[in-house]
Amino acid sequence: KSALARASVVNWDGEVLLDTFVRVPERVTDFRTRVSGVRAKDISVKNDDAIDHEECRLKVGELLMDKILVGHALKNDLSALMISHPRHDIRDTARYKPFMRATGRSGGKLRPRKLRDLVFEHLGMRIQVEGEAHCSIDDARASMELFKYARVRWEKELEKGSKGIKRGKK
């Protein structure tokens, strides 16, 4: 079972709007520090700099209100935060078809690729270096830069797709 341990939000320019550890009141058996960068002291109830889950949900929700949400594998983040966001306002670099890889016998099934690989391939940037802890701020900035790289084409595809949808009664 996973728990929310850190929340990081950046703006268009990569400036940090929120970066906080989140207290986990239950016993944690695997911090995945080599991947997450989170240590026991970061999320301890004794850490005055960490915030409670509910406070984090409210802060993130407030920051995202009426905004386009950009990130990678956002379903996981939204699930950990226990919040939702309007689908038309989500730009998930893990779900953007040109960034996905075709698999299967006929290559018809699309699978998400790692953020690290996409950022290196399209931007020449290195993140999530093997042997180093990941930084959620670096990941957020990298996702934003990846979105900026594909933005014009991405938004045109969304616009084209929404014109083909007939709005009927629900």
Side-chain angles (χ1 to χ4, degrees):
K1 177 178 155 183
S2 294
L4 178 65
R6 185 176 180 184
S8 302
V9 180
V10 301
N11 67 12
W12 176 263
D13 297 316
E15 296 166 350
V16 176
L17 301 178
L18 176 71
D19 182 40
T20 186
F21 288 104
V22 181
R23 290 186 201 106
V24 178
E26 300 145 8
R27 183 173 175 270
V28 177
T29 56
D30 184 1
F31 289 90
R32 297 184 236 165
T33 303
R34 64 174 175 60
V35 175
S36 69
V38 176
R39 298 158 304 187
K41 69 178 186 175
D42 297 326
I43 62 172
S44 167
V45 293
K46 296 175 185 172
N47 181 357
D48 292 333
D49 293 329
I51 63 175
D52 292 324
H53 190 277
E54 186 61 22
E55 184 180 353
C56 185
R57 287 182 69 233
L58 293 172
K59 284 185 176 194
V60 172
E62 202 173 289
L63 286 169
L64 298 182
M65 185 74 64
D66 300 322
K67 302 280 190 317
I68 301 289
L69 173 59
V70 176
H72 190 79
L74 288 167
K75 182 178 179 181
N76 301 327
D77 298 330
L78 293 171
S79 176
L81 282 159
M82 292 191 245
I83 62 174
S84 61
H85 199 69
R87 189 174 177 193
H88 65 274
D89 285 340
I90 292 176
R91 305 297 183 269
D92 190 336
T93 57
R95 308 298 314 161
Y96 181 51
K97 288 181 183 177
F99 288 158
M100 298 174 84
R101 66 180 153 88
T103 61
R105 278 189 247 175
S106 61
K109 181 141 178 135
L110 293 176
R111 299 255 185 224
R113 295 178 57 209
K114 294 179 179 179
L115 178 61
R116 174 189 69 210
D117 298 340
L118 290 171
V119 169
F120 182 72
E121 180 181 314
H122 296 285
L123 306 173
M125 294 170 47
R126 290 198 183 277
I127 62 167
Q128 303 176 355
V129 177
E130 193 68 35
E132 294 178 15
H134 295 188
C135 174
S136 53
I137 295 171
D138 290 345
D139 291 356
R141 287 176 173 151
S143 296
M144 183 62 79
E145 290 304 315
L146 199 55
F147 171 67
K148 288 179 186 180
Y149 167 82
R151 178 178 167 229
V152 172
R153 180 176 168 198
W154 197 329
E155 295 299 328
K156 280 182 183 176
E157 289 174 15
L158 287 173
E159 189 178 312
K160 187 170 49 175
S162 67
K163 287 180 181 174
I165 298 171
K166 290 188 178 183
R167 310 243 185 250
K169 292 182 180 177
K170 290 189 178 187

